[in-house]
Amino acid sequence: MSTIPTATISRLVTYLRILTSLENQGIKNTSSEQLAEEAQVSAFQVRKDLAYFGRFGTRGAGYTVPTLRRELRRILGLNRPWNVAIIGMGRLGQAISDYPHFEQYDFSLKACFDNNAKVIGQTMSGHQVYGMDALPQVVKEKGIDIGFLTVPQAAAQAAADALVAAGIKGILNFAPVVINVPREVHVEPVDFLAGLKRVSFYIINPGLKEELA
Amino acid sequence: MSTIPTATISRLVTYLRILTSLENQGIKNTSSEQLAEEAQVSAFQVRKDLAYFGRFGTRGAGYTVPTLRRELRRILGLNRPWNVAIIGMGRLGQAISDYPHFEQYDFSLKACFDNNAKVIGQTMSGHQVYGMDALPQVVKEKGIDIGFLTVPQAAAQAAADALVAAGIKGILNFAPVVINVPREVHVEPVDFLAGLKRVSFYIINPGLKEELA
DNA sequence: GCAAAGGTGTGAAATTTTCCACAATTCATT
DNA sequence: AATGAATTGTGGAAAATTTCACACCTTTGC
Ligand SMILES: NC(=O)c1ccc[n+]([C@@H]2O[C@H](COP(=O)([O-])OP(=O)(O)OC[C@H]3O[C@@H](n4cnc5c(N)ncnc54)[C@H](O)[C@@H]3O)[C@@H](O)[C@H]2O)c1
Ligand SMILES: NC(=O)c1ccc[n+]([C@@H]2O[C@H](COP(=O)([O-])OP(=O)(O)OC[C@H]3O[C@@H](n4cnc5c(N)ncnc54)[C@H](O)[C@@H]3O)[C@@H](O)[C@H]2O)c1
């Protein structure tokens, strides 16, 4: 249990999504084989990924969809409420604040921040926009855990510093830049420009595509 | 040279971004040490990543910023024009079509598609919206290489199939689902909900954070 | 022109991650 | 109750990736 591959965590998220879809279809049982096929990995991989956290199936029988789903939610910490805030209410920040699927799990958008006087105080998608100076207090009062960083690249590090100082625990970084934070804060990049460039590379290097059964 | 780690490609994108920033600051020379620090990896890693593709530095002296930048652009295929299309002109599709930084490299948005009669024929951010039935012809006529998939999860596989049938070479998949495409088409997921769930996991498991010098 | 300092490129070791074979267990059928 | 088919959990092999040490080159200072 000392160390778990990052890729395993990404795959657990995928398995959970598949289980949710199976549950919505009323399917009660599944197998590593079925999960593997839908997640496009090997069945060995599915079982190994789960084995990092315990035993969730029955030999010979497979997995029970609701049970495994509940376990994965617990493992990923999705069985508890998370309060999030958006920093940077430009185009992307607004699009995200409008996005309904948040509450699917227990994420709730609790506050929006910007440093532009023109938007501070306005209401966007039902949320009042705070100035950056209110960040420490609002984060504390509303118990905000996670920040969505949707400011321009040039402002990203400063805004991240402010989030860290306010005591935030995790950051979803949409800005195309590597930000520097203390060890105890977890940053997940969500970088579509980087993805676009990787697509470019793999198109001109078709030989380097990973194999798949 | 037979196989290059996926992570290496992601890091090359980061190095390129750093080099661009250094060039904008008028800095002419750099080192694996400096790139490593800004990219938050080890200097060994930087040199090994570059070594997959050739020798770009001078021993004892380091790297010349414009030279290495040019080489990385070439390696990543960013020294040529790419034509892209957006499939799904909802909130996210519109936000992206508005985004100016595309043309920074040679990506140009050539067409937008949707299957909703209410938006087909409209102009959004200066682009006419086509129906999905026009996809094969438009992709061919405009030489579209890459598709941004911004349709709802439930429509993602069908839309991806249509893109593949039209002869697209790469897909940036913004929908929170694993899509199935033939080997020769490269898909990059851009999945902020997955990122959010990973943040959740790492917040409740602070011991599992990767080390860094 | 020599020595010292700085810094790349790379083969090999170490580590991490994936792959696999198979023992163990369950379920269905007779 | 016994047999056969199905499917998990896991130790260890294999493969992939990262880390490292160091030979080798360049520049600077004296
Ligand atoms: N628009 C897109 O489609 C898109 C897609 C992916 C990623 N991104 C990235 O997301 C980020 C935001 O993009 P955008 O298009 O929404 O930009 P935008 O310019 O529309 O919005 C940025 C917002 O951040 C605010 N801001 C600037 N500095 C700030 C600071 N120091 N503190 C707080 N707020 C600050 C601005 O007032 C503005 O409201 C950029 O880094 C961009 O690269 C954008
Ligand atoms: N809105 C966000 O902030 C956000 C952020 C990240 C990811 N996403 C993901 O991006 C996708 C789109 O999100 P959105 O919020 O823009 O949704 P949306 O409902 O606003 O837009 C979806 C668009 O796709 C079109 N569409 C539906 N089926 C189609 C089909 N078969 N072919 C072509 N077009 C079709 C619809 O007409 C609509 O215009 C979703 O998968 C969502 O999960 C959204």
Side-chain angles (χ1 to χ4, degrees):
Chain A
M1 229 273 200
S2 66
T3 174
I4 292 166
T6 315
T8 288
I9 309 307
S10 293
R11 287 188 299 261
L12 292 183
V13 171
T14 301
Y15 306 151
L16 173 56
R17 213 167 256 163
I18 294 165
L19 288 162
T20 301
S21 157
L22 291 174
E23 190 161 296
N24 289 343
Q25 293 167 60
I27 295 168
K28 290 275 177 283
N29 298 288
T30 188
S31 64
S32 57
E33 193 60 60
Q34 180 174 26
L35 292 172
E37 176 163 353
E38 302 217 11
Q40 299 187 36
V41 300
S42 72
F44 305 124
Q45 188 73 80
V46 172
R47 298 203 296 273
K48 180 62 93 181
D49 286 338
L50 296 176
Y52 284 112
F53 297 95
R55 303 162 169 204
F56 308 111
T58 9
R59 294 185 164 186
Y63 304 93
T64 308
V65 170
T67 307
L68 185 55
R69 176 163 182 270
R70 177 160 21 86
E71 291 295 324
L72 284 182
R73 290 189 48 148
R74 179 184 56 71
I75 290 165
L76 292 169
L78 300 173
N79 57 346
R80 65 180 75 189
W82 291 109
N83 296 326
V84 312
I86 301 180
I87 322 303
M89 291 304 288
R91 283 164 306 210
L92 184 62
Q94 287 179 46
I96 291 175
S97 72
D98 248 349
Y99 189 59
H101 294 6
F102 272 150
E103 319 271 338
Q104 182 185 11
Y105 294 98
D106 232 349
F107 292 101
S108 72
L109 178 57
K110 280 287 194 306
C112 301
F113 297 88
D114 206 294
N115 76 341
N116 182 339
K118 287 190 182 146
V119 297
I120 296 172
Q122 278 189 27
T123 299
M124 288 179 164
S125 317
H127 295 271
Q128 187 205 332
V129 179
Y130 294 93
M132 292 299 283
D133 49 350
L135 208 135
Q137 199 195 338
V138 175
V139 164
K140 199 171 159 203
E141 275 176 10
K142 307 210 170 191
I144 291 170
D145 307 292
I146 300 171
F148 290 1
L149 196 53
T150 53
V151 302
Q153 185 192 113
Q157 183 62 57
D161 293 345
L163 283 173
V164 168
I168 223 129
K169 304 189 198 104
I171 294 176
L172 228 59
N173 177 26
F174 292 81
V177 62
V178 177
I179 59 174
N180 205 327
V181 300
R183 179 86 50 93
E184 65 273 16
V185 176
H186 184 81
V187 178
E188 278 285 332
V190 182
D191 188 342
F192 97 107
L193 289 176
L196 186 51
K197 291 167 192 175
R198 288 192 294 267
V199 170
S200 166
F201 175 81
Y202 284 108
I203 291 178
I204 64 171
N205 295 282
L208 296 179
K209 300 223 37 170
E210 325 80 70
E211 316 299 314
L212 195 66
Chain B
M1 227 278 200
S2 65
T3 176
I4 291 166
T6 315
T8 288
I9 308 309
S10 293
R11 286 189 298 260
L12 291 183
V13 171
T14 301
Y15 306 152
L16 173 56
R17 213 167 256 164
I18 294 165
L19 289 161
T20 302
S21 157
L22 291 174
E23 189 161 295
N24 289 343
Q25 293 168 59
I27 295 168
K28 290 275 178 282
N29 298 287
T30 187
S31 63
S32 57
E33 194 61 59
Q34 179 173 28
L35 292 172
E37 176 163 353
E38 302 218 10
Q40 299 187 34
V41 299
S42 72
F44 304 126
Q45 187 75 80
V46 173
R47 297 203 297 273
K48 179 62 91 182
D49 286 338
L50 297 175
Y52 284 111
F53 297 95
R55 303 163 169 203
F56 308 111
T58 6
R59 294 187 164 183
Y63 304 94
T64 308
V65 170
T67 307
L68 185 55
R69 175 161 184 272
R70 177 159 22 85
E71 291 295 324
L72 285 182
R73 291 190 49 150
R74 180 184 56 72
I75 290 165
L76 292 169
L78 301 173
N79 57 347
R80 63 180 75 188
W82 292 108
N83 297 325
V84 313
I86 300 180
I87 322 302
M89 291 304 288
R91 283 165 305 210
L92 185 62
Q94 287 179 45
I96 291 176
S97 72
D98 249 349
Y99 189 59
H101 294 5
F102 272 151
E103 320 272 338
Q104 183 186 7
Y105 294 97
D106 233 348
F107 292 100
S108 71
L109 177 58
K110 280 289 194 308
C112 301
F113 297 89
D114 205 295
N115 76 341
N116 182 338
K118 287 189 182 148
V119 297
I120 296 172
Q122 277 189 27
T123 300
M124 288 180 164
S125 318
H127 295 271
Q128 187 205 334
V129 180
Y130 295 94
M132 291 298 284
D133 50 350
L135 208 137
Q137 199 193 339
V138 175
V139 164
K140 198 170 157 202
E141 275 176 9
K142 306 210 171 190
I144 290 169
D145 308 292
I146 299 171
F148 290 180
L149 196 52
T150 53
V151 302
Q153 185 191 111
Q157 183 63 57
D161 293 345
L163 284 173
V164 168
I168 222 129
K169 305 189 197 104
I171 295 176
L172 228 57
N173 177 26
F174 291 81
V177 62
V178 177
I179 59 174
N180 204 327
V181 299
R183 180 85 51 93
E184 65 273 16
V185 175
H186 184 81
V187 177
E188 279 286 331
V190 183
D191 189 342
F192 97 108
L193 289 176
L196 186 51
K197 290 167 191 174
R198 287 192 295 266
V199 169
S200 167
F201 174 82
Y202 284 109
I203 290 178
I204 64 171
N205 295 282
L208 296 177
K209 300 222 40 173
E210 323 80 68
E211 317 299 314
L212 196 64

